[in-house]
Amino acid sequence: MRKKLIAGNWKMHGTLASVSALSHVLLQSVSSTGDTSLVVFPTSIHLQSVSEILKDSPIAFGAQNFYPEDSGAFTGEISAPMIHELGCRYVLVGHSERRQLFGESDNLIAKKFLAAQTAGLTPILCVGETREERETEQTEQIIRDQLAFVLAEVGLAAFENCVIAYEPVWAIGTGLTATPDQAQAVHLFIRHWLSRHNERIAQKVQILYGGSVKSVNAGSLFAMPDIDGALVGGASLLAEEFLAICKAAG
Ligand code: PGA
């Protein structure tokens, strides 16, 4: 039985005061989240403060972004070993905002996936189709291509220690959530794709759904057999909402 994982992607939001306050509220409520794992992704500049609040707690924290070299002349970047040194366990890789707004290629995403694992971090690999791709029935092909590119670069064994997040681009930040059936169909497709390579890994990998997850729709999504949690954006900035989503997973 796969454990549920609820991830909060805080994106470029918050002040030092607001993210500290949010971390403290989550910390105080953590006993009520049961068997569900939690991880939050503050901005890089807030990560140090959040790590001091959440270290030694059941709430994990991670980084939204990094550059896949250990160190060097890469002005403005941070590395996976630096993130790991802060106590982070997870990093996001391949989020559609990074793909679309910052031009991240499949090649860079595969490099980041590998660099994360080499540093001892678990990558949450995000995949998903645009509205146009869904409307032209290319969803499965897009997801397969995004996964296959990473697989070809990193090898099957690397999928042993990763999380996959299915995030339809048309559902991110739009208030349009995939229906539980739509999401389940893609999650099952991903698990079948994995099982063609290795059944054990396919059964082990947690597949999260992301895209306008809120407390009102979380329960019906989590009731689906292949939805192992959520990657939550907007609703993760509101402690009560985020905790209600975590509760729905428990
Ligand atoms: P959203 O974002 O929950 O605000 O749609 C999800 C994400 O980008 O991971």
Side-chain angles (χ1 to χ4, degrees):
M1 185 70 182
R2 292 175 297 271
K3 258 180 108 165
K4 292 275 196 295
L5 173 65
I6 309 296
N9 176 8
W10 294 351
K11 305 194 181 184
M12 198 175 75
H13 289 293
T15 62
L16 205 44
S18 73
V19 299
S20 300
L22 179 55
S23 303
H24 279 296
V25 175
L26 296 180
L27 190 58
Q28 280 153 17
S29 315
V30 80
S31 58
S32 63
T33 61
D35 206 23
T36 304
S37 304
L38 265 63
V39 53
V40 293
F41 293 91
T43 68
S44 301
I45 204 161
H46 294 145
L47 202 45
Q48 168 86 43
S49 301
V50 171
S51 75
E52 282 163 16
I53 297 166
L54 298 181
K55 68 168 187 271
D56 305 323
S57 89
I59 307 175
F61 43 91
Q64 298 172 20
N65 190 36
F66 63 102
Y67 190 70
E69 293 287 342
D70 286 356
S71 63
F74 301 103
T75 302
E77 298 297 322
I78 60 171
S79 73
M82 292 171 188
I83 292 166
H84 185 257
E85 193 183 15
L86 269 191
C88 291
R89 285 183 34 213
Y90 294 92
V91 282
L92 299 181
V93 173
H95 191 282
S96 65
E97 285 152 18
R98 303 277 342 151
R99 292 180 193 259
Q100 292 194 329
L101 303 175
F102 302 98
E104 290 200 4
S105 63
D106 284 326
N107 193 33
L108 180 66
I109 288 161
K111 281 204 174 96
K112 290 171 80 169
F113 185 103
L114 204 54
Q117 288 192 333
T118 306
L121 298 160
T122 300
I124 300 185
L125 173 64
C126 306
V127 295
E129 82 287 2
T130 62
R131 177 196 292 273
E132 195 196 337
E133 287 160 351
R134 174 162 283 266
E135 283 170 359
T136 52
E137 292 176 14
Q138 294 179 76
T139 300
E140 292 190 351
Q141 185 198 320
I142 294 293
I143 305 290
R144 184 169 47 231
D145 288 352
Q146 289 173 343
L147 291 171
F149 196 97
V150 175
L151 179 72
E153 293 295 310
V154 306
L156 183 64
F159 275 75
E160 181 101 36
N161 178 33
C162 79
V163 174
I164 295 173
Y166 168 55
E167 296 207 301
V169 179
W170 50 271
I172 295 178
T174 58
L176 295 171
T177 318
T179 65
D181 286 337
Q182 280 175 325
Q184 165 61 22
V186 178
H187 283 228
L188 187 61
F189 172 79
I190 293 171
R191 212 175 295 286
H192 278 160
W193 179 84
L194 281 169
S195 73
R196 280 207 297 279
H197 298 281
N198 184 302
E199 179 61 26
R200 188 183 53 79
I201 293 177
Q203 292 309 322
K204 180 180 167 192
V205 170
Q206 290 165 308
I207 307 177
L208 313 183
Y209 168 77
S212 299
V213 175
K214 299 186 172 53
S215 59
V216 290
N217 56 32
S220 53
L221 288 161
F222 299 155
M224 293 291 157
D226 290 289
I227 299 183
D228 305 315
L231 179 51
V232 186
S236 70
L237 294 163
L238 308 166
E240 231 174 87
E241 262 293 288
F242 189 60
L243 289 165
I245 292 168
C246 297
K247 213 164 181 186

